[in-house]
């Protein structure tokens, strides 16, 4: 179990993020058009994980990664939350988000497999804000669980991990 915080109050997750140097767990998320989203084979991935696209910091991180995606080669950015695909599609359409994928974990064990499902606090059941960067071999090269849910992830560290 790992710990983050919400409003200064400790929040526990179901486990730990996949360790740097380990193989990234496979997953299948539901895309905003209900198509499956999986970890890309042979390509790099930045997985931006957050509680809900309908909160300010979560929306900011999706916008920021959409902006950064255009500067990345051979890299897929996947934004993951428990939001339903319809909410994700609505947000992306309204915001002009088109350079990244948005996937819902509502039908999967993603939160448990990546250790990010919050088990207590008022957001219990949602995913804790975190980043996992995976190289072309499927190996985790960076991870971050933010110390406070209300702060943005370290974009620079995630990008630096891509080399």
């Amino acid at each position: 179990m790992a710990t983050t915080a919400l409003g200064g109050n400790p929040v526990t997750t179901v486990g730990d993020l996949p360790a740097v140097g380990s193989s990234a767990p496979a997953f299948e998320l539901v895309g905003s058009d209900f198509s499956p989203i999986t970890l890309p084979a042979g390509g790099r991935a930045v997985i931006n994980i957050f509680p809900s696209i309908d909160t300010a910091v979560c929306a900011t991180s999706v916008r920021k990664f959409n902006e950064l995606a255009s500067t990345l080669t051979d890299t897929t950015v996947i934004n993951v939350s428990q939001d339903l695909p319809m909410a994700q599609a609505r947000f992306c359409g309204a915001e002009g988000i088109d350079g990244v994928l948005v996937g819902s974990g509502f039908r999967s064990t993603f939160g448990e497999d990546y250790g990010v499902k919050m088990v207590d606090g008022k957001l219990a059941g949602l995913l804790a804000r975190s980043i996992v960067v995976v190289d072309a071999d499927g190996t985790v090269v960076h991870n971050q669980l933010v110390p406070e849910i209300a702060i943005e992830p370290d974009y620079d560290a995630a990008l630096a991990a891509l080399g």
Side-chain angles (χ1 to χ4, degrees):
M1 298 174 105
T3 303
T4 183
L6 181 61
N9 298 309
V11 175
T12 307
T13 63
V14 70
D16 295 308
L17 286 169
V20 171
S22 70
S23 292
F27 58 80
E28 184 171 301
L29 302 167
V30 180
S32 57
D33 62 356
F34 286 86
S35 64
I37 294 176
T38 59
L39 194 59
R44 304 179 311 171
V46 175
I47 307 169
N48 176 34
I49 306 161
F50 52 90
S52 175
I53 205 156
D54 285 323
T55 64
V57 177
C58 299
T60 297
S61 73
V62 173
R63 287 185 202 105
K64 181 70 173 179
F65 275 115
N66 186 62
E67 175 187 314
L68 294 171
S70 66
T71 68
L72 304 174
T73 57
D74 192 32
T75 304
T76 302
V77 177
I78 306 169
N79 295 283
V80 183
S81 70
Q82 294 291 79
D83 292 302
L84 293 176
M86 296 80 70
Q88 293 174 339
R90 174 189 41 77
F91 174 83
C92 291
E95 295 286 328
I97 305 292
D98 59 5
V100 298
L101 298 176
V102 182
S104 175
F106 87 106
R107 287 186 189 159
S108 79
T109 59
F110 178 90
E112 291 85 359
D113 297 342
Y114 275 72
V116 294
K117 183 177 179 181
M118 293 182 276
V119 296
D120 52 22
K122 69 180 184 178
L123 299 181
L126 297 179
L127 307 179
R129 185 177 323 287
S130 47
I131 300 290
V132 176
V133 179
V134 181
D135 70 12
D137 296 323
T139 302
V140 175
V141 294
H142 172 77
N143 67 27
Q144 178 198 17
L145 173 65
V146 298
E148 169 66 46
I149 297 291
I151 65 169
E152 293 177 58
D154 186 341
Y155 304 107
D156 293 335
L159 296 181
L162 292 169

